[in-house]
Amino acid sequence: MVLVFSCSPKTIIVQEDPIDNLPIPLLIVGNEEVFAEEFLHMLSKSREFESKAEKLSPEEFERNLNLFVNYKLKVKEAENLGLDKVEEFDKEFGIFKEDLIKPFLIKNSLQEGELRKAYNRMQEVVKASHILLQFPNNSSEQDSIAVYRMAEKLKKDSENGSDFNELASEYSDDPSAKENKGSLGYFTALQMVYQFEDAAYSLNPGQISDPVLSDFGYHIIRLEDKKPNPGEIRVSHILVRTVAGDPVAEERSLRKIGDIYTELQKPESTWEEVCSMYSEDLSTKNSGGDLPWFSIGAVIPEFERVAFTLQDEGEISPPVKTPYGFHIIRLNEKRPIASYEEMLPAIKSKILRDSRSTLIQTQVIAIQKSRFSFQEFGENLKSLEGFFNKNSGPEAIKMVQEQNLQDSVLFFVSGESITVHDFVDFLQSEKQNLRPAESGFDKLYERYVAESLNEAEEAYLLANNEDYRLLVQEYRDGILLFSLMNEHVWQKAIEDSLGQIRYYKENNSRYQWKERANALIIKMGQEEVVPAVKRFLADKKYQFNLEDRLENTFLADNPLAFTIEDGVFELESHPILKKANLTKAVQEINYDGRMHFLVLGNKVPAGPKKFEETRGKVIQDYQEYLENSLLDSLKEKYLIKIDEDQKQKVYDMVVNQ
């Protein structure tokens, strides 16, 4: 978050006298106190300050403090504009809070046995196929029974000799079954929903499971293989993309990847050079095609299957086709699965988000009830249950209101009384179908109790867990900052075309071309083609169709011969042109270990860029101008006070002295 702060404001340094034992704010923006812990939290996002090497220089400290002040200025302005009161903010902040709180919830309730079981399963990978039968929309109990019976029939058919994968292709509701015939490839623990994983790991190869119920429907699972987990690998790749549905383009891509593979077999070829020259994965081509570490089940099966067959570091695979195109894969490193201690945080995090968390929900509820002094009033609950079990939801609510039972207490949690009125509000806000046969009073009440306990736990965390409180504050302020900047700077600069033109005219000296020239630059990929290209260019001049003629003459049969760059380039800044003899129309230049042919056209004198030529840079500069103008106005609008003693305390903690 510190990275998005802007220019530093003028500040007023004041000394504050401590009053009793109340905490003293590091700074005050307008009328809002901001404490040192929030500034330290922002600083600690990038370092821990445990050694001198991790600490800041005095200049870095001042710069970060100024950025932090600007950040709080913008947040303060967003609050004053009411951006924290709009529906979009509530919705987005609510989504973030749901994710932020998860790692902090009932950590001690996770049993060691569940964690160990997950890790022990991760020592193996299993290969399985499945048939998925989903429930129809608004399914009844009879529908569920019918789906279950169909699942049993398919299992029996398979055990009696029917081909499991053909059954999957015909009957499975998994959209991918038509392509993979139900095969899911290899996976390990924590990569499938818990019910599916639990059933798959309980089978022996060749066995078929009973119908397994998950949130997706009923699964029939056939275990195909089980073997030790090979751990993780790190590979590089060269990619040649294909165009879906274009056989001509695919044939050309296949020929190109074949030529690249042949090129890699030559003793003088290096992987990095070939990758940089020909790979079409723009995000990795200049870093040798390196990909992050991955394990079984983490990438697309076609790529994974070939990658994990490579045995020796440096071994290169033949071309392999995936939905992205054709790849050549090189094995860089292998490593075994990490120790339990190393993986424990990741396993905990996944289990908290996994469907198996429902298995420990009873324990979670029990811990919450104990921690937050939950006390239930059984008589009031029994009376309420009677109304709902004998009447429809709306009728039950009407009877509760007529008999003035709304203030009756259902339970206490964290010292707060929860009444029948609160429960009715919950039902109405949820827009539930309240007929007992369809929704069930018990389930609705249990859900309400669980939500009340979760709210109590969140309040407890906000009051007692500094890490959680600061994280929530950071995301809240971050959303407000984004909203303010988007409305007053980023989007405004993009949409304000008149402002862009005005800024461009007022700052025209910043948008100037240096001397340029029309040029065609040919970067040779194969040395044996150099003489032929040289002869071809010997009597040529720069012209608009020269690139097409080169491609048709050489690249149609040999796509790896060279690459071409055609355009208008600044002489001073282009690495090839600045080495050129500007009096020669055609010349050879060695650059970065490669032969280049340069065909020079007309020179273009230095002069102003047209607005259309530099609009992107103008918008970027205009955004910076708007942001600086916004900050200037905020510095005038809000008084900023910094407590020198608190500042010194933070300084002593984080600055390398």
Side-chain angles (χ1 to χ4, degrees), residues 290-324:
D290 287 348
L291 297 174
W293 288 94
F294 63 89
S295 58
I296 288 288
V299 298
I300 52 178
E302 300 92 335
F303 191 95
E304 172 191 290
R305 184 166 53 251
V306 173
F308 274 95
T309 62
L310 300 174
Q311 297 299 316
D312 301 319
E313 293 183 5
E315 183 179 352
I316 296 173
S317 77
V320 55
K321 189 175 187 302
T322 76
Y324 297 102

Side-chain angles (χ1 to χ4, degrees), residues 406-449:
Q406 291 178 289
D407 293 332
S408 299
V409 177
L410 289 176
F411 54 85
F412 281 109
V413 60
S414 293
E416 181 183 353
S417 61
I418 305 299
T419 66
V420 171
H421 180 269
D422 297 322
F423 179 58
V424 169
D425 283 348
F426 161 75
L427 296 179
Q428 293 176 329
S429 66
E430 291 293 305
K431 297 181 180 179
Q432 300 280 355
N433 183 344
L434 301 182
R435 291 186 180 277
E438 297 177 7
S439 56
F441 174 82
D442 289 343
K443 289 184 178 179
L444 290 169
Y445 176 72
E446 287 172 6
R447 180 179 169 190
Y448 181 60
V449 168

Side-chain angles (χ1 to χ4, degrees), residues 313-352:
E313 293 183 5
E315 183 179 352
I316 296 173
S317 77
V320 55
K321 189 175 187 302
T322 76
Y324 297 102
F326 293 98
H327 309 254
I328 299 171
I329 307 169
R330 182 184 69 173
L331 177 63
N332 296 336
E333 291 182 80
K334 290 182 175 183
R335 66 185 182 191
I337 187 171
S339 69
Y340 175 74
E341 288 71 24
E342 290 177 281
M343 297 196 68
L344 182 58
I347 295 174
K348 273 189 175 181
S349 175
K350 288 181 179 179
I351 285 179
L352 280 172

Side-chain angles (χ1 to χ4, degrees), residues 259-514:
D259 288 347
I260 294 172
Y261 184 68
T262 301
E263 183 75 16
L264 288 168
Q265 310 308 309
K266 297 178 181 178
E268 66 272 17
S269 293
T270 66
W271 173 273
E272 286 73 19
E273 285 188 4
V274 174
C275 180
S276 175
M277 186 77 179
Y278 301 115
S279 180
E280 295 175 12
D281 183 350
L282 300 182
S283 63
T284 66
K285 65 177 297 183
N286 294 321
S287 58
D290 287 348
L291 297 174
W293 288 94
F294 63 89
S295 58
I296 288 288
V299 298
I300 52 178
E302 300 92 335
F303 191 95
E304 172 191 290
R305 184 166 53 251
V306 173
F308 274 95
T309 62
L310 300 174
Q311 297 299 316
D312 301 319
E313 293 183 5
E315 183 179 352
I316 296 173
S317 77
V320 55
K321 189 175 187 302
T322 76
Y324 297 102
F326 293 98
H327 309 254
I328 299 171
I329 307 169
R330 182 184 69 173
L331 177 63
N332 296 336
E333 291 182 80
K334 290 182 175 183
R335 66 185 182 191
I337 187 171
S339 69
Y340 175 74
E341 288 71 24
E342 290 177 281
M343 297 196 68
L344 182 58
I347 295 174
K348 273 189 175 181
S349 175
K350 288 181 179 179
I351 285 179
L352 280 172
R353 300 191 300 268
D354 190 88
S355 61
R356 75 193 69 202
S357 62
T358 58
L359 300 177
I360 59 172
Q361 185 61 23
T362 301
Q363 294 176 340
V364 171
I365 293 291
I367 293 171
Q368 288 176 325
K369 286 183 175 180
S370 174
R371 181 176 297 175
F372 307 124
S373 304
F374 181 86
Q375 181 183 358
E376 195 169 66
F377 287 79
E379 290 300 320
N380 292 343
L381 176 60
K382 188 175 181 180
S383 299
L384 184 65
E385 185 178 6
F387 285 121
F388 278 89
N389 284 339
K390 295 177 183 178
N391 303 278
S392 68
E395 291 171 347
I397 291 173
K398 183 178 180 180
M399 294 177 69
V400 166
Q401 294 170 339
E402 289 174 348
Q403 297 192 29
N404 295 320
L405 298 177
Q406 291 178 289
D407 293 332
S408 299
V409 177
L410 289 176
F411 54 85
F412 281 109
V413 60
S414 293
E416 181 183 353
S417 61
I418 305 299
T419 66
V420 171
H421 180 269
D422 297 322
F423 179 58
V424 169
D425 283 348
F426 161 75
L427 296 179
Q428 293 176 329
S429 66
E430 291 293 305
K431 297 181 180 179
Q432 300 280 355
N433 183 344
L434 301 182
R435 291 186 180 277
E438 297 177 7
S439 56
F441 174 82
D442 289 343
K443 289 184 178 179
L444 290 169
Y445 176 72
E446 287 172 6
R447 180 179 169 190
Y448 181 60
V449 168
E451 289 197 9
S452 299
L453 289 169
N454 288 339
E455 290 173 2
E457 186 170 7
E458 181 180 359
Y460 174 84
L461 287 169
L462 283 171
N464 297 281
N465 190 305
E466 181 177 294
D467 289 340
Y468 175 67
R469 183 174 67 253
L470 291 173
L471 198 58
V472 170
Q473 179 75 30
E474 175 190 345
Y475 274 79
R476 173 194 177 274
D477 290 356
I479 295 170
L480 289 176
L481 175 67
F482 179 86
S483 298
L484 178 76
M485 293 293 290
N486 194 52
E487 182 177 338
H488 292 270
V489 176
W490 301 325
Q491 199 62 29
K492 180 179 179 180
I494 292 172
E495 295 175 352
D496 184 8
S497 56
L498 294 178
Q500 295 167 16
I501 295 172
R502 182 173 61 251
Y503 184 84
Y504 162 77
K505 291 179 178 178
E506 292 173 354
N507 298 272
N508 188 255
S509 61
R510 301 174 64 177
Y511 309 109
Q512 299 287 319
W513 288 116
K514 297 178 182 178

